[in-house]
Amino acid sequence: MPGTSGTRRTPRGLETRSRIVDSAAKLFYAKGVNATTLDDVRLASSTSKSQLYKHFEDKLVLIHAVIDVQSKFVLAREEQRLRGVKTLTGLRRWRDTLVQANSLQDGSYGCALGAMSVELSDNDEQSRQALNASIDAWRRMLVEMLTRLRILGILAEDANPQRLGTGLLAALQGGYVLAQNAHSSEPMAVALDMALDHIESFARS
């Protein structure tokens, strides 16, 4: 994502920009986008106003940069986790990893991408499109994983990876929201278990 200038940045400038985006991402995740001010970001990143505005002319530009960074992080993480899933046991391990990570913070904060979608999708079209593209890329990873299970003969031919992948992602995102409200990972575990139980109903006997 571009900043306010088309000039080339120095290594020090790139480090400052990265620090600002990283601080903003953490604040957006913990406090929410709307509740986080540029002054909050400036203090958290130990930057001056002039440094902040040199890289980001306003909060919306910073939001777009955070979406870009968070999307790359989440998708890289999920791609690494899902590419190794070749059994239903492996799929359950993927579920366990997500629930365990969520339980470490008592269900708080939710999904980095999902939470921003709730706050931004009705207010900024560029943010909506970027987040929709990232979440759809996540859905496609799930579809590819389920297609692989069908090709390997683990799931029956009548299993529909498109529908199952969409349902699984919906259960995951809904689970994040319920866990956030309850401050407990239990609702997320239940939502994922129900989705996986449905997927396993297509297992070859």
Side-chain angles (χ1 to χ4, degrees), residues 121-153:
S121 291
D122 290 337
N123 302 315
D124 176 48
E125 181 62 15
Q126 184 173 336
S127 294
R128 186 198 68 75
Q129 290 183 9
L131 288 163
N132 181 61
S134 297
I135 290 174
D136 190 59
W138 195 347
R139 184 191 64 82
R140 291 198 304 272
M141 288 181 194
L142 293 170
V143 170
E144 289 170 5
M145 176 270 297
L146 292 165
T147 300
R148 180 167 63 247
L149 294 182
R150 192 174 67 175
I151 291 171
L152 290 172

mmCIF file of all heavy atoms in Angstrom, residues 121-153:
data_model
loop_
_atom_site.group_PDB
_atom_site.id
_atom_site.type_symbol
_atom_site.label_atom_id
_atom_site.label_comp_id
_atom_site.label_asym_id
_atom_site.label_seq_id
_atom_site.Cartn_x
_atom_site.Cartn_y
_atom_site.Cartn_z
ATOM 1 N N SER A 121 -16.733 -2.693 6.560
ATOM 2 C CA SER A 121 -17.313 -3.045 5.261
ATOM 3 C C SER A 121 -18.469 -2.149 4.829
ATOM 4 O O SER A 121 -18.718 -1.985 3.635
ATOM 5 C CB SER A 121 -17.760 -4.507 5.264
ATOM 6 O OG SER A 121 -16.642 -5.366 5.307
ATOM 7 N N ASP A 122 -19.189 -1.574 5.779
ATOM 8 C CA ASP A 122 -20.305 -0.697 5.410
ATOM 9 C C ASP A 122 -19.904 0.769 5.323
ATOM 10 O O ASP A 122 -20.733 1.619 4.979
ATOM 11 C CB ASP A 122 -21.442 -0.838 6.438
ATOM 12 C CG ASP A 122 -22.130 -2.184 6.346
ATOM 13 O OD1 ASP A 122 -22.066 -2.815 5.281
ATOM 14 O OD2 ASP A 122 -22.719 -2.620 7.353
ATOM 15 N N ASN A 123 -18.632 1.057 5.625
ATOM 16 C CA ASN A 123 -18.201 2.457 5.679
ATOM 17 C C ASN A 123 -17.142 2.833 4.658
ATOM 18 O O ASN A 123 -16.983 4.008 4.344
ATOM 19 C CB ASN A 123 -17.661 2.769 7.085
ATOM 20 C CG ASN A 123 -18.692 2.522 8.164
ATOM 21 O OD1 ASN A 123 -19.845 2.907 8.020
ATOM 22 N ND2 ASN A 123 -18.289 1.861 9.237
ATOM 23 N N ASP A 124 -16.408 1.845 4.157
ATOM 24 C CA ASP A 124 -15.329 2.138 3.213
ATOM 25 C C ASP A 124 -15.262 1.027 2.182
ATOM 26 O O ASP A 124 -14.936 -0.114 2.510
ATOM 27 C CB ASP A 124 -13.992 2.281 3.952
ATOM 28 C CG ASP A 124 -12.827 2.499 3.000
ATOM 29 O OD1 ASP A 124 -12.945 3.365 2.110
ATOM 30 O OD2 ASP A 124 -11.813 1.790 3.138
ATOM 31 N N GLU A 125 -15.563 1.347 0.953
ATOM 32 C CA GLU A 125 -15.640 0.339 -0.101
ATOM 33 C C GLU A 125 -14.286 -0.297 -0.382
ATOM 34 O O GLU A 125 -14.196 -1.503 -0.645
ATOM 35 C CB GLU A 125 -16.223 0.957 -1.366
ATOM 36 C CG GLU A 125 -16.367 -0.006 -2.541
ATOM 37 C CD GLU A 125 -17.324 -1.166 -2.265
ATOM 38 O OE1 GLU A 125 -18.100 -1.100 -1.288
ATOM 39 O OE2 GLU A 125 -17.287 -2.147 -3.034
ATOM 40 N N GLN A 126 -13.222 0.488 -0.327
ATOM 41 C CA GLN A 126 -11.897 -0.085 -0.581
ATOM 42 C C GLN A 126 -11.540 -1.119 0.480
ATOM 43 O O GLN A 126 -11.012 -2.198 0.164
ATOM 44 C CB GLN A 126 -10.829 1.006 -0.620
ATOM 45 C CG GLN A 126 -9.433 0.478 -0.970
ATOM 46 C CD GLN A 126 -8.422 1.577 -1.167
ATOM 47 O OE1 GLN A 126 -8.769 2.715 -1.481
ATOM 48 N NE2 GLN A 126 -7.149 1.269 -0.996
ATOM 49 N N SER A 127 -11.841 -0.805 1.731
ATOM 50 C CA SER A 127 -11.597 -1.772 2.803
ATOM 51 C C SER A 127 -12.460 -3.015 2.612
ATOM 52 O O SER A 127 -11.990 -4.150 2.778
ATOM 53 C CB SER A 127 -11.898 -1.140 4.165
ATOM 54 O OG SER A 127 -10.996 -0.107 4.470
ATOM 55 N N ARG A 128 -13.734 -2.832 2.260
ATOM 56 C CA ARG A 128 -14.631 -3.968 2.058
ATOM 57 C C ARG A 128 -14.106 -4.896 0.972
ATOM 58 O O ARG A 128 -14.072 -6.125 1.140
ATOM 59 C CB ARG A 128 -16.032 -3.493 1.687
ATOM 60 C CG ARG A 128 -17.073 -4.622 1.610
ATOM 61 C CD ARG A 128 -18.297 -4.209 0.833
ATOM 62 N NE ARG A 128 -18.018 -4.019 -0.584
ATOM 63 C CZ ARG A 128 -17.839 -5.025 -1.454
ATOM 64 N NH1 ARG A 128 -17.923 -6.290 -1.060
ATOM 65 N NH2 ARG A 128 -17.579 -4.772 -2.719
ATOM 66 N N GLN A 129 -13.684 -4.310 -0.149
ATOM 67 C CA GLN A 129 -13.200 -5.129 -1.253
ATOM 68 C C GLN A 129 -11.935 -5.890 -0.871
ATOM 69 O O GLN A 129 -11.781 -7.076 -1.198
ATOM 70 C CB GLN A 129 -12.950 -4.249 -2.477
ATOM 71 C CG GLN A 129 -14.214 -3.718 -3.127
ATOM 72 C CD GLN A 129 -13.930 -2.911 -4.379
ATOM 73 O OE1 GLN A 129 -12.804 -2.871 -4.868
ATOM 74 N NE2 GLN A 129 -14.944 -2.246 -4.898
ATOM 75 N N ALA A 130 -11.016 -5.208 -0.181
ATOM 76 C CA ALA A 130 -9.761 -5.855 0.206
ATOM 77 C C ALA A 130 -10.012 -6.990 1.197
ATOM 78 O O ALA A 130 -9.445 -8.087 1.071
ATOM 79 C CB ALA A 130 -8.807 -4.828 0.808
ATOM 80 N N LEU A 131 -10.854 -6.738 2.187
ATOM 81 C CA LEU A 131 -11.151 -7.767 3.172
ATOM 82 C C LEU A 131 -11.938 -8.923 2.557
ATOM 83 O O LEU A 131 -11.693 -10.094 2.874
ATOM 84 C CB LEU A 131 -11.929 -7.156 4.335
ATOM 85 C CG LEU A 131 -11.087 -6.258 5.253
ATOM 86 C CD1 LEU A 131 -11.982 -5.374 6.104
ATOM 87 C CD2 LEU A 131 -10.166 -7.091 6.134
ATOM 88 N N ASN A 132 -12.861 -8.614 1.667
ATOM 89 C CA ASN A 132 -13.619 -9.663 0.989
ATOM 90 C C ASN A 132 -12.699 -10.553 0.165
ATOM 91 O O ASN A 132 -12.851 -11.782 0.157
ATOM 92 C CB ASN A 132 -14.692 -9.045 0.087
ATOM 93 C CG ASN A 132 -15.526 -10.097 -0.610
ATOM 94 O OD1 ASN A 132 -16.203 -10.895 0.028
ATOM 95 N ND2 ASN A 132 -15.462 -10.122 -1.935
ATOM 96 N N ALA A 133 -11.730 -9.936 -0.515
ATOM 97 C CA ALA A 133 -10.779 -10.711 -1.318
ATOM 98 C C ALA A 133 -9.948 -11.636 -0.432
ATOM 99 O O ALA A 133 -9.686 -12.794 -0.780
ATOM 100 C CB ALA A 133 -9.877 -9.771 -2.106
ATOM 101 N N SER A 134 -9.536 -11.134 0.724
ATOM 102 C CA SER A 134 -8.708 -11.943 1.626
ATOM 103 C C SER A 134 -9.506 -13.081 2.233
ATOM 104 O O SER A 134 -9.033 -14.227 2.302
ATOM 105 C CB SER A 134 -8.132 -11.054 2.731
ATOM 106 O OG SER A 134 -7.279 -10.067 2.191
ATOM 107 N N ILE A 135 -10.709 -12.799 2.678
ATOM 108 C CA ILE A 135 -11.538 -13.845 3.283
ATOM 109 C C ILE A 135 -11.939 -14.882 2.233
ATOM 110 O O ILE A 135 -12.002 -16.084 2.508
ATOM 111 C CB ILE A 135 -12.759 -13.220 3.975
ATOM 112 C CG1 ILE A 135 -12.289 -12.444 5.225
ATOM 113 C CG2 ILE A 135 -13.781 -14.286 4.372
ATOM 114 C CD1 ILE A 135 -13.366 -11.668 5.933
ATOM 115 N N ASP A 136 -12.166 -14.433 0.993
ATOM 116 C CA ASP A 136 -12.484 -15.386 -0.063
ATOM 117 C C ASP A 136 -11.268 -16.248 -0.399
ATOM 118 O O ASP A 136 -11.421 -17.437 -0.719
ATOM 119 C CB ASP A 136 -12.978 -14.655 -1.318
ATOM 120 C CG ASP A 136 -13.553 -15.621 -2.342
ATOM 121 O OD1 ASP A 136 -14.521 -16.337 -2.007
ATOM 122 O OD2 ASP A 136 -13.018 -15.685 -3.471
ATOM 123 N N ALA A 137 -10.065 -15.677 -0.311
ATOM 124 C CA ALA A 137 -8.858 -16.475 -0.523
ATOM 125 C C ALA A 137 -8.747 -17.560 0.556
ATOM 126 O O ALA A 137 -8.336 -18.699 0.284
ATOM 127 C CB ALA A 137 -7.627 -15.574 -0.505
ATOM 128 N N TRP A 138 -9.112 -17.217 1.788
ATOM 129 C CA TRP A 138 -9.133 -18.185 2.887
ATOM 130 C C TRP A 138 -10.145 -19.289 2.588
ATOM 131 O O TRP A 138 -9.868 -20.479 2.762
ATOM 132 C CB TRP A 138 -9.494 -17.452 4.159
ATOM 133 C CG TRP A 138 -9.231 -18.163 5.446
ATOM 134 C CD1 TRP A 138 -8.928 -19.494 5.626
ATOM 135 C CD2 TRP A 138 -9.240 -17.584 6.752
ATOM 136 N NE1 TRP A 138 -8.768 -19.769 6.961
ATOM 137 C CE2 TRP A 138 -8.945 -18.621 7.681
ATOM 138 C CE3 TRP A 138 -9.484 -16.297 7.230
ATOM 139 C CZ2 TRP A 138 -8.890 -18.383 9.054
ATOM 140 C CZ3 TRP A 138 -9.432 -16.070 8.597
ATOM 141 C CH2 TRP A 138 -9.131 -17.098 9.498
ATOM 142 N N ARG A 139 -11.333 -18.898 2.110
ATOM 143 C CA ARG A 139 -12.357 -19.885 1.758
ATOM 144 C C ARG A 139 -11.848 -20.830 0.671
ATOM 145 O O ARG A 139 -12.058 -22.056 0.745
ATOM 146 C CB ARG A 139 -13.627 -19.166 1.271
ATOM 147 C CG ARG A 139 -14.791 -20.108 0.958
ATOM 148 C CD ARG A 139 -15.896 -19.370 0.229
ATOM 149 N NE ARG A 139 -15.459 -18.890 -1.073
ATOM 150 C CZ ARG A 139 -15.428 -19.650 -2.173
ATOM 151 N NH1 ARG A 139 -15.814 -20.922 -2.127
ATOM 152 N NH2 ARG A 139 -15.019 -19.142 -3.312
ATOM 153 N N ARG A 140 -11.153 -20.277 -0.317
ATOM 154 C CA ARG A 140 -10.634 -21.117 -1.409
ATOM 155 C C ARG A 140 -9.596 -22.117 -0.896
ATOM 156 O O ARG A 140 -9.500 -23.236 -1.396
ATOM 157 C CB ARG A 140 -10.039 -20.255 -2.518
ATOM 158 C CG ARG A 140 -11.092 -19.450 -3.291
ATOM 159 C CD ARG A 140 -10.540 -18.961 -4.626
ATOM 160 N NE ARG A 140 -9.331 -18.180 -4.467
ATOM 161 C CZ ARG A 140 -9.295 -16.862 -4.252
ATOM 162 N NH1 ARG A 140 -10.435 -16.185 -4.164
ATOM 163 N NH2 ARG A 140 -8.153 -16.218 -4.135
ATOM 164 N N MET A 141 -8.811 -21.715 0.103
ATOM 165 C CA MET A 141 -7.862 -22.664 0.697
ATOM 166 C C MET A 141 -8.592 -23.839 1.331
ATOM 167 O O MET A 141 -8.160 -24.993 1.213
ATOM 168 C CB MET A 141 -7.023 -21.960 1.768
ATOM 169 C CG MET A 141 -6.005 -20.985 1.243
ATOM 170 S SD MET A 141 -5.077 -20.265 2.630
ATOM 171 C CE MET A 141 -4.271 -18.892 1.789
ATOM 172 N N LEU A 142 -9.690 -23.544 2.013
ATOM 173 C CA LEU A 142 -10.488 -24.615 2.610
ATOM 174 C C LEU A 142 -11.103 -25.502 1.537
ATOM 175 O O LEU A 142 -11.138 -26.738 1.677
ATOM 176 C CB LEU A 142 -11.578 -24.014 3.498
ATOM 177 C CG LEU A 142 -11.094 -23.288 4.757
ATOM 178 C CD1 LEU A 142 -12.248 -22.533 5.411
ATOM 179 C CD2 LEU A 142 -10.467 -24.261 5.745
ATOM 180 N N VAL A 143 -11.582 -24.892 0.476
ATOM 181 C CA VAL A 143 -12.155 -25.664 -0.627
ATOM 182 C C VAL A 143 -11.090 -26.567 -1.253
ATOM 183 O O VAL A 143 -11.341 -27.744 -1.541
ATOM 184 C CB VAL A 143 -12.755 -24.721 -1.689
ATOM 185 C CG1 VAL A 143 -13.132 -25.503 -2.955
ATOM 186 C CG2 VAL A 143 -13.978 -23.997 -1.136
ATOM 187 N N GLU A 144 -9.892 -26.039 -1.457
ATOM 188 C CA GLU A 144 -8.804 -26.836 -2.029
ATOM 189 C C GLU A 144 -8.438 -28.005 -1.118
ATOM 190 O O GLU A 144 -8.178 -29.117 -1.588
ATOM 191 C CB GLU A 144 -7.587 -25.945 -2.271
ATOM 192 C CG GLU A 144 -7.767 -24.966 -3.415
ATOM 193 C CD GLU A 144 -6.649 -23.925 -3.473
ATOM 194 O OE1 GLU A 144 -5.689 -24.032 -2.669
ATOM 195 O OE2 GLU A 144 -6.745 -23.001 -4.306
ATOM 196 N N MET A 145 -8.416 -27.763 0.188
ATOM 197 C CA MET A 145 -8.105 -28.827 1.135
ATOM 198 C C MET A 145 -9.170 -29.914 1.085
ATOM 199 O O MET A 145 -8.854 -31.115 1.062
ATOM 200 C CB MET A 145 -7.986 -28.235 2.537
ATOM 201 C CG MET A 145 -7.757 -29.237 3.656
ATOM 202 S SD MET A 145 -9.326 -29.852 4.361
ATOM 203 C CE MET A 145 -10.033 -28.350 5.026
ATOM 204 N N LEU A 146 -10.443 -29.527 1.051
ATOM 205 C CA LEU A 146 -11.528 -30.502 1.004
ATOM 206 C C LEU A 146 -11.560 -31.236 -0.334
ATOM 207 O O LEU A 146 -11.873 -32.438 -0.384
ATOM 208 C CB LEU A 146 -12.858 -29.798 1.265
ATOM 209 C CG LEU A 146 -13.014 -29.254 2.695
ATOM 210 C CD1 LEU A 146 -14.173 -28.266 2.769
ATOM 211 C CD2 LEU A 146 -13.215 -30.386 3.690
ATOM 212 N N THR A 147 -11.219 -30.552 -1.408
ATOM 213 C CA THR A 147 -11.107 -31.204 -2.713
ATOM 214 C C THR A 147 -10.010 -32.264 -2.683
ATOM 215 O O THR A 147 -10.174 -33.368 -3.225
ATOM 216 C CB THR A 147 -10.810 -30.167 -3.812
ATOM 217 O OG1 THR A 147 -11.870 -29.200 -3.858
ATOM 218 C CG2 THR A 147 -10.673 -30.832 -5.174
ATOM 219 N N ARG A 148 -8.906 -31.932 -2.028
ATOM 220 C CA ARG A 148 -7.811 -32.893 -1.893
ATOM 221 C C ARG A 148 -8.274 -34.137 -1.130
ATOM 222 O O ARG A 148 -7.948 -35.261 -1.513
ATOM 223 C CB ARG A 148 -6.633 -32.226 -1.180
ATOM 224 C CG ARG A 148 -5.425 -33.141 -0.994
ATOM 225 C CD ARG A 148 -4.189 -32.364 -0.577
ATOM 226 N NE ARG A 148 -4.339 -31.713 0.724
ATOM 227 C CZ ARG A 148 -4.383 -30.395 0.902
ATOM 228 N NH1 ARG A 148 -4.309 -29.576 -0.138
ATOM 229 N NH2 ARG A 148 -4.497 -29.877 2.110
ATOM 230 N N LEU A 149 -9.042 -33.934 -0.066
ATOM 231 C CA LEU A 149 -9.546 -35.081 0.695
ATOM 232 C C LEU A 149 -10.475 -35.946 -0.157
ATOM 233 O O LEU A 149 -10.481 -37.181 -0.029
ATOM 234 C CB LEU A 149 -10.274 -34.604 1.954
ATOM 235 C CG LEU A 149 -9.419 -33.909 3.027
ATOM 236 C CD1 LEU A 149 -10.275 -33.552 4.236
ATOM 237 C CD2 LEU A 149 -8.227 -34.761 3.437
ATOM 238 N N ARG A 150 -11.236 -35.310 -1.031
ATOM 239 C CA ARG A 150 -12.119 -36.088 -1.914
ATOM 240 C C ARG A 150 -11.299 -36.857 -2.948
ATOM 241 O O ARG A 150 -11.585 -38.039 -3.236
ATOM 242 C CB ARG A 150 -13.127 -35.171 -2.608
ATOM 243 C CG ARG A 150 -14.247 -35.936 -3.303
ATOM 244 C CD ARG A 150 -15.296 -35.010 -3.861
ATOM 245 N NE ARG A 150 -14.781 -34.198 -4.957
ATOM 246 C CZ ARG A 150 -15.511 -33.364 -5.689
ATOM 247 N NH1 ARG A 150 -16.810 -33.223 -5.423
ATOM 248 N NH2 ARG A 150 -14.984 -32.649 -6.656
ATOM 249 N N ILE A 151 -10.280 -36.208 -3.514
ATOM 250 C CA ILE A 151 -9.425 -36.878 -4.501
ATOM 251 C C ILE A 151 -8.695 -38.063 -3.870
ATOM 252 O O ILE A 151 -8.516 -39.118 -4.504
ATOM 253 C CB ILE A 151 -8.419 -35.875 -5.100
ATOM 254 C CG1 ILE A 151 -9.146 -34.854 -5.981
ATOM 255 C CG2 ILE A 151 -7.335 -36.586 -5.904
ATOM 256 C CD1 ILE A 151 -8.277 -33.711 -6.441
ATOM 257 N N LEU A 152 -8.288 -37.914 -2.616
ATOM 258 C CA LEU A 152 -7.584 -38.990 -1.906
ATOM 259 C C LEU A 152 -8.523 -40.119 -1.492
ATOM 260 O O LEU A 152 -8.068 -41.149 -0.986
ATOM 261 C CB LEU A 152 -6.886 -38.422 -0.669
ATOM 262 C CG LEU A 152 -5.683 -37.506 -0.928
ATOM 263 C CD1 LEU A 152 -5.208 -36.857 0.367
ATOM 264 C CD2 LEU A 152 -4.541 -38.289 -1.577
ATOM 265 N N GLY A 153 -9.818 -39.936 -1.710
ATOM 266 C CA GLY A 153 -10.778 -40.967 -1.371
ATOM 267 C C GLY A 153 -11.213 -40.960 0.073
ATOM 268 O O GLY A 153 -11.891 -41.899 0.530
#
